[in-house]
Amino acid sequence: MVKRIGILLSGRGSNFEALADAVADGRIPNAEIAVVISNREGAPGIEKARARGIEALVIPSKGKERETYDREVVAALRERGVDLVCLAGFMRLLSPYFVNEYRTRILNIHPSLLPAFPGLEAQRQALEYGVKYSGCTVHFVDEHLDAGPIIRQAVVEVRDDDTPETLAARILREEHRIYAEAVRIVLEGRYRIEGRRVFITQEG
Ligand code: GRF
């Protein structure tokens, strides 16, 4: 059975594109991206999806209660038979309703080594704190911000001459790689969760 992925984004959409490339070239086998949903009108990720022939919807979040909004999004995902939800720069916290509807079937990518530097501008936070290594994290989503059991992380060295932009660019390359790996693992069911720990079982 081909697994159906739903992507939620608010902006640029490079992680969506990385997942779409991985689906297209077989690094995420037996899967398709069923829909891309943005809460923001004019998110570049929406145009990128349409250019690839993938259905893309804007469901505006402005002025809506969190759960009211999430019910609309979950209904759209359900209508399309989505099995796995990937947050890809989706700038909203999910309600308990959403998390319960898709528990352990929602992933997020964050540009730091969680639990360090959750929230906005993680790369700037890392530089300002003075860490020597940062990176990125793919994790299951729960009702808390940038929390939930960790599936994959990648480490990126901080250079003396880094700016938030140069560090973000090097982290982004790793995001694209580990997000595709994590999606494959989850779709293939090659993991088990014990408490906060996610154990990956080997292929084949
Ligand atoms: C990425 O840095 C991701 O880790 C964070 O938001 C950014 C989204 O970038 N959650 P893009 O829209 O995928 O290019």
Side-chain angles (χ1 to χ4, degrees):
M1 264 278 277
V2 173
K3 294 282 172 64
R4 295 171 67 77
I5 300 170
I7 307 268
L8 304 189
L9 54 76
S10 303
R12 179 176 59 183
S14 74
N15 277 286
F16 149 64
E17 291 203 284
L19 294 180
D21 288 344
V23 166
D25 70 21
R27 278 174 295 133
I28 303 177
N30 303 318
E32 65 184 318
I33 297 181
V35 66
V36 173
I37 300 176
S38 169
N39 65 315
R40 290 196 190 143
E41 211 81 61
I46 284 290
E47 281 319 310
K48 289 175 178 162
R50 289 184 181 144
R52 287 169 183 258
I54 296 172
E55 186 190 13
L57 304 174
V58 177
I59 306 182
S61 55
K62 221 172 170 206
K64 286 177 193 155
E65 296 265 346
R66 189 174 303 286
E67 190 175 316
T68 308
Y69 181 72
D70 284 1
R71 282 183 185 275
E72 281 182 48
V73 173
V74 167
L77 295 169
R78 290 236 176 275
E79 272 168 32
R80 289 158 183 84
V82 166
D83 302 296
L84 179 72
V85 180
C86 294
L87 308 186
F90 187 59
M91 306 304 281
R92 290 178 59 82
L93 196 61
L94 303 189
S95 61
Y97 164 78
F98 195 147
V99 173
N100 283 324
E101 287 295 300
Y102 273 97
R103 192 166 289 279
T104 73
R105 290 185 301 140
I106 312 171
L107 307 185
N108 183 42
I109 177 91
H110 183 76
S112 74
L113 293 173
L114 290 171
F117 316 126
L120 295 175
E121 298 199 71
Q123 304 93 334
R124 180 182 299 277
Q125 291 185 54
L127 276 185
E128 285 174 358
Y129 196 92
V131 292
K132 300 299 185 192
Y133 295 91
S134 191
C136 47
T137 304
V138 183
H139 63 93
F140 288 107
V141 171
D142 63 16
E143 28 301 85
H144 306 288
L145 179 67
D146 299 326
I150 291 171
I151 302 161
R152 268 271 194 272
Q153 290 187 305
V155 175
V156 172
E157 191 167 6
V158 178
R159 296 179 185 156
D160 288 347
D161 60 355
D162 264 329
T163 63
E165 292 72 30
T166 60
L167 178 59
R170 290 205 312 289
I171 292 174
L172 194 64
R173 282 203 292 276
E174 296 300 303
E175 292 183 35
H176 295 164
R177 182 175 62 79
I178 67 168
Y179 211 175
E181 290 174 2
V183 167
R184 177 176 189 161
I185 288 165
V186 171
L187 285 182
E188 292 180 346
R190 285 195 291 112
Y191 69 94
R192 64 175 206 282
I193 305 177
E194 286 179 24
R196 283 204 51 88
R197 300 183 72 188
V198 179
F199 297 94
I200 312 293
T201 48
Q202 286 316 307
E203 224 171 321

